[in-house]
Amino acid sequence: MGRYWNEEIECMSREDMKKLQSERLVKQVKHVYENVPYYKKLMDEKGVTPDDVKGIEDLHKLPFLTKADLREAYPYGLLAKPLSDCVRIQSTSGTTGKRVVAFYTQNDIELWEDCCARAIVAVGGTNEDVCQVCYGYGLFTGGPGLNGGSHKVGCLTLPMSSGNTERQIQFMMDLGSTILCCTPSYAAYIGETLKEMGYKPEDNKLKAGIFGAEPWTEEMRREIEKSLGIKAYDIYGLTETSGPGVSFECEEQTGMHINEDHFIAEIIDPETGEVLPEGSKGELVFTSITKEAFPLLRYRTRDICVLSREKCSCGRTLVKMSKPMGRSDDMMIIRGVNVFPSQIETVLIEQGYSPNYLIEVDRVGNVDTLDISVEMNAEQLSDTVKDIQKKESELVAAIKTMLGINPKVHLVSPKSIARSEGKAVRVIDKRKLH
Ligand code: DLL
């Protein structure tokens, strides 16, 4: 098996890719206009017709779709195919607002799984591999997406779903899993549990991990790589555009290649909606050009990142997105300062702490408070109260340097912060509850 799943597409010249995207976009806009009254209305209000879109250079003429539109159109309002053509739904956990329900035709599933197959091959996966999928199965897209990709590549697939960590480890050891797919926070937890069970990183057969579905830092990548003895790769996606596999990392590990034959990416200013030049940091917007049942045009992801067309050593020409630096709606404004949880995570790991922490934001009187609980490691447990206070002050100083605001830091005992088997909850913002 080669280095690519689909070399023709993954290494296509820019000119050919633009042509392919343009053809598909023109067709898709027509399909949506004719079959989705909700989007037709948005286009009519903006005075755009399918005839105005002749190629990707006209993409900016189309209206945006947001999560609010998804809520309003819930559940069937953005469906572009009759239900008789749809074979599956997937959905988000719905922790914020109404859940998102996405629909798939059989062809949509094929293309989605194909995207996941590209991600698996990009980390060195072949039909010789044993691929352990411990993303959740069910409504969440992580399990079904990577499961489908793994089948396509021909890996022996372990459809573990999330949870039951000791059983995960037993299968990993007994069957010799070589590729691990789960959230980065769960990967860190598996690493921690392996160590507790007396295993060394070289005791497992894992070579690569495909970790995504939540933000994670470079520092956390290094931690996971060390504890599992693997290379850790990022994968990105969202339910609205299919699930995992919208973009994936290659051996260079410097950002994720976007599957541009299926998704056109734009970066916009989240405040004004203006399209920003390549290389700018802003909100990622996706247009699905091949999806049949649930084809969102110019969908605002709220994820903040940067796109890069710098030549990649892997030979792929697909544009790369940086790790999302947070979501425009996850960004906390604390005492007027923009704070992303990833900034705090970077400091914690740099200072030698584990990625187990909880950020609590509240407002007392008119003043925002920022409390960060961080687990001590086992060695620190024997420290005196004075030592612990000193370490807390050091962390306060380091975080103050990073953010410009003073937090309260509490070092808590190991294992006292709940571990996550899926997406980790890192922030509790009590201000929203008042
Ligand atoms: O999390 C799909 C997925 C499953 C991606 C498995 C990767 C692996 P949703 O539950 O709809 O879908 O959440 C989508 O999660 O808008 C991002 O904010 C965040 N996200 C996804 N991947 C990453 C990543 C899946 N690699 C939302 N880094 C997205 C940072 C990510 N954030």
Side-chain angles (χ1 to χ4, degrees):
M1 211 170 264
R3 298 174 65 197
Y4 313 106
W5 176 250
N6 184 338
E7 183 165 359
E8 190 191 340
I9 290 287
E10 294 174 56
C11 303
M12 192 175 252
S13 76
R14 184 80 205 111
E15 280 319 298
D16 287 350
M17 181 56 80
K18 273 187 177 163
K19 216 170 127 233
L20 181 67
Q21 288 185 323
S22 289
E23 282 165 20
R24 290 182 169 177
L25 176 68
V26 169
K27 241 174 91 189
Q28 187 70 303
V29 171
K30 201 161 168 283
H31 169 58
V32 171
Y33 192 79
E34 285 167 4
N35 294 293
V36 184
Y38 188 96
Y39 198 74
K40 176 179 185 297
K41 186 163 163 270
L42 291 183
M43 282 177 66
D44 290 343
E45 278 165 11
K46 219 173 168 223
V48 201
T49 68
D51 288 340
D52 296 323
V53 181
K54 301 208 157 49
I56 52 170
E57 62 287 357
D58 297 321
L59 186 60
H60 68 98
K61 295 179 182 165
L62 291 168
F64 291 118
L65 275 174
T66 63
K67 211 160 207 148
D69 291 307
L70 259 61
R71 252 175 237 145
E72 204 178 319
Y74 177 89
Y76 293 125
L78 288 164
L79 193 60
K81 280 280 187 184
L83 276 182
S84 54
D85 288 349
C86 298
V87 297
R88 172 100 67 84
I89 67 150
Q90 301 286 163
S91 176
T92 58
S93 54
T95 41
T96 48
K98 214 181 235 166
R99 56 183 72 245
V100 170
V101 175
F103 300 83
Y104 303 71
T105 62
Q106 187 57 46
N107 191 50
D108 290 335
I109 290 184
E110 291 295 328
L111 299 184
W112 171 32
E113 292 180 351
D114 219 66
C115 288
C116 291
R118 290 182 195 175
I120 293 171
V121 171
V123 309
T126 70
N127 55 3
E128 305 285 332
D129 278 294
V130 179
C131 182
Q132 179 161 349
V133 183
C134 22
Y135 287 111
Y137 279 62
L139 287 171
F140 180 53
T141 55
L146 268 310
N147 190 85
S150 174
H151 274 220
K152 283 204 176 221
V153 176
C155 305
L156 175 66
T157 309
L158 273 49
M160 301 296 299
S161 197
S162 59
N164 203 337
T165 309
E166 305 233 332
R167 189 182 62 189
Q168 299 276 4
I169 290 174
Q170 192 185 349
F171 271 93
M172 177 188 292
M173 292 301 182
D174 292 352
L175 292 162
S177 305
T178 52
I179 299 178
L180 180 68
C181 307
C182 61
T183 56
S185 52
Y186 195 45
Y189 182 40
I190 292 178
E192 190 181 25
T193 312
L194 271 172
K195 193 172 168 196
E196 278 169 16
M197 289 168 77
Y199 289 114
K200 291 197 214 49
E202 58 274 20
D203 292 340
N204 68 67
K205 288 221 172 91
L206 290 174
K207 60 179 189 190
I210 304 182
F211 306 133
E214 64 183 4
W216 54 311
T217 55
E218 285 302 326
E219 290 75 17
M220 185 146 166
R221 187 201 308 260
R222 285 194 284 277
E223 279 276 315
I224 296 173
E225 290 191 331
K226 209 164 69 197
S227 71
L228 291 172
I230 59 168
K231 289 260 248 171
Y233 298 89
D234 207 349
I235 184 166
Y236 169 90
L238 55 161
T239 312
E240 293 90 318
T241 55
S242 60
V246 169
S247 64
F248 60 95
E249 231 172 20
C250 62
E251 66 226 30
E252 213 187 71
Q253 294 181 298
T254 53
M256 295 172 274
H257 289 287
I258 296 175
N259 283 313
E260 291 184 277
D261 52 328
H262 300 299
F263 308 103
I264 306 178
E266 299 171 277
I267 293 285
I268 64 163
D269 178 331
E271 303 294 325
T272 64
E274 182 201 348
V275 179
L276 299 177
E278 224 148 70
S280 317
K281 179 167 144 186
E283 181 180 338
L284 190 55
V285 173
F286 281 116
T287 298
S288 295
I289 45 178
T290 49
K291 286 196 71 184
E292 297 175 339
F294 201 63
L296 301 187
L297 305 182
R298 300 200 88 200
Y299 181 66
R300 292 184 58 164
T301 62
R302 297 275 161 205
D303 292 320
I304 304 291
C305 74
V306 178
L307 297 183
S308 159
R309 288 208 177 272
E310 254 174 57
K311 200 164 181 284
C312 187
S313 59
C314 75
R316 289 180 184 78
T317 48
L318 301 171
V319 70
K320 274 203 285 202
M321 61 181 269
S322 65
K323 269 185 181 302
M325 298 158 191
R327 293 172 56 85
S328 56
D329 53 357
D330 271 4
M331 186 183 76
M332 304 172 280
I333 303 184
I334 302 173
R335 293 173 222 155
V337 177
N338 297 351
V339 175
F340 288 105
S342 60
Q343 294 174 295
I344 295 173
E345 182 177 303
T346 299
V347 175
L348 296 181
I349 299 182
E350 266 173 10
Q351 302 279 322
Y353 292 89
S354 69
N356 298 310
Y357 60 92
L358 185 68
I359 301 168
E360 288 173 275
V361 187
D362 205 348
R363 183 163 288 163
V364 179
N366 285 321
V367 181
D368 294 331
T369 58
L370 170 61
D371 281 70
I372 306 169
S373 302
V374 188
E375 279 185 13
M376 287 182 266
N377 44 43
E379 298 88 75
Q380 290 171 333
L381 256 187
S382 53
D383 284 0
T384 61
V385 173
K386 214 167 138 213
D387 285 340
I388 291 174
Q389 281 170 345
K390 183 163 166 268
K391 288 194 175 118
E392 286 175 341
S393 314
E394 282 164 5
L395 268 181
V396 167
I399 292 169
K400 168 119 198 273
T401 309
M402 169 69 99
L403 304 178
I405 52 175
N406 248 323
K408 274 202 188 118
V409 171
H410 317 275
L411 283 176
V412 298
S413 47
K415 295 263 164 189
S416 58
I417 294 176
R419 298 294 185 269
S420 127
E421 295 167 348
K423 298 190 191 227
V425 178
R426 307 275 200 206
V427 181
I428 299 177
D429 193 342
K430 296 184 184 149
R431 296 175 302 181
K432 291 180 191 149
L433 306 177
H434 294 326

